[in-house]
Amino acid sequence: MTTPDIQKKIIPYIGETAPYINIPEHIIFNDHSIETEISGWDFSNENLTYLLKALASLGSCSLYKLLNNSSEEKIYFLGEKLRIRKLSYKAIPDTLLITGGSYLESKRKGKSCLNAKDKQSGEILYSFELDYHIISQDAFGVFYKDFFDDTLIETYDEKLPEGKINYTADPHQFTISIMPFTLNQCKGHFENHPIVPFVFIANCVLREVFNFLGNKGSYEIDSLEGYASKAMPIGTEFMIEVFQQKFLKNLIYFKCEIKDITGNSYAVMIINIKSEPTS
């Protein structure tokens, strides 16, 4: 199965659509395995979430293929746990080779395990895992009836909400305020039941974490883990409670709990950032 096949036979039947769904132009599926390439992308700092979005999109498509669904009824794939780790600190090449596959643990649970490699040497640069809940169209409509919105979304807003760092008296703690997401910003992510994509809130959190670190050195993400407990609604201001600590000489740990301003918790991010002090 190649990219045109995926666009015709899979994407119309999963809950995510364009422009949120994002797959490379040349993909080869063979049973549960995937092979494709990504070229010309910048994955530094918060831009790492562009890679997360592409890998999550591949995972949704490959899980649908494994289900061998013939009903032409939409199936929804909601991420539960996400993990990405950088395994090599060489310069990231212009072209990444993506390999790996997805697996069904049951009819309601699935996992994608993918690697981003240097195309020339075959060295693994990033490892990626994402656990999914698999939900039928009818069940999704029941579970997320409070999210229903039949507004026709004609335009897509690529600019994500602004954020603000709020410092506290404790040097190891601060908060991040994220302005509400709009329908236009979340276009394509569970259309008619708009839910803020985890990778979008992760982009905003990483952006502010790197702002917090300032220009005192060079930094890169060593690992990122995300655990979602509740769907994040649009139109909601988020308050991220951050604890940070330098556990090793060149490794800074951040625990970020994503809440709304009333205290409801939605997700947790664990980020390890490697520092390279300037000479």
Side-chain angles (χ1 to χ4, degrees), residues 164-208:
K164 178 184 176 183
I165 298 173
N166 309 298
Y167 295 93
T168 70
D170 188 334
H172 299 292
Q173 294 182 329
F174 61 95
T175 63
I176 299 170
S177 303
I178 304 295
M179 294 298 100
F181 285 81
T182 67
L183 277 171
N184 299 76
Q185 289 166 333
C186 300
K187 179 174 171 60
H189 193 249
F190 308 129
E191 210 81 1
N192 296 129
H193 292 81
I195 292 171
V196 176
F198 178 82
V199 293
F200 285 5
I201 196 78
N203 183 289
C204 295
V205 171
L206 287 171
R207 180 188 66 205
E208 300 307 324

Side-chain angles (χ1 to χ4, degrees), residues 24 26 35-43 48 51 55 84 90-99 115-120 123-126:
H26 303 289
E35 183 172 318
T36 189
E37 295 179 6
I38 296 175
S39 297
W41 290 20
D42 174 15
F43 300 131
L48 182 68
L51 178 60
L55 296 176
I84 189 167
K90 64 183 292 183
I92 301 300
D94 184 68
T95 299
L96 295 180
L97 178 66
I98 309 299
T99 63
N115 292 318
K117 302 178 179 180
D118 183 322
K119 182 182 178 182
Q120 299 300 321
E123 180 181 2
I124 298 175
L125 306 177
Y126 294 98

Side-chain angles (χ1 to χ4, degrees), residues 104-160:
L104 289 173
E105 299 175 357
S106 70
K107 290 184 178 181
R108 296 289 173 259
K109 295 280 288 183
K111 180 191 288 286
S112 287
C113 300
L114 303 172
N115 292 318
K117 302 178 179 180
D118 183 322
K119 182 182 178 182
Q120 299 300 321
S121 67
E123 180 181 2
I124 298 175
L125 306 177
Y126 294 98
S127 67
F128 170 88
E129 295 181 19
L130 180 57
D131 294 3
Y132 294 86
H133 292 292
I134 303 171
I135 304 177
S136 68
Q137 186 172 23
D138 288 343
F140 187 88
V142 173
F143 294 157
Y144 297 100
K145 61 183 179 181
D146 293 339
F147 286 78
F148 181 77
D149 191 315
D150 61 359
T151 303
L152 178 62
I153 311 171
E154 295 183 349
T155 60
Y156 177 51
D157 183 1
E158 295 185 21
K159 184 179 180 181
L160 296 181

Side-chain angles (χ1 to χ4, degrees), residues 21 27 39 53-54 72-73 75 115 126-128 136 139 155 161 170 176 192 214 221 226 233-234 239 244-245 251:
I21 199 78
I27 302 173
S39 297
K53 181 181 173 186
E72 297 189 352
E73 180 180 282
I75 297 177
N115 292 318
Y126 294 98
S127 67
F128 170 88
S136 68
T155 60
D170 188 334
I176 299 170
N192 296 129
I221 296 170
I234 64 167
M239 183 69 68
Q244 64 90 20
Q245 178 71 58
L251 199 66

Side-chain angles (χ1 to χ4, degrees), residues 21-33:
I21 199 78
N22 184 12
I23 61 172
E25 293 183 1
H26 303 289
I27 302 173
I28 298 174
F29 274 146
N30 184 13
D31 294 327
H32 70 276
S33 66

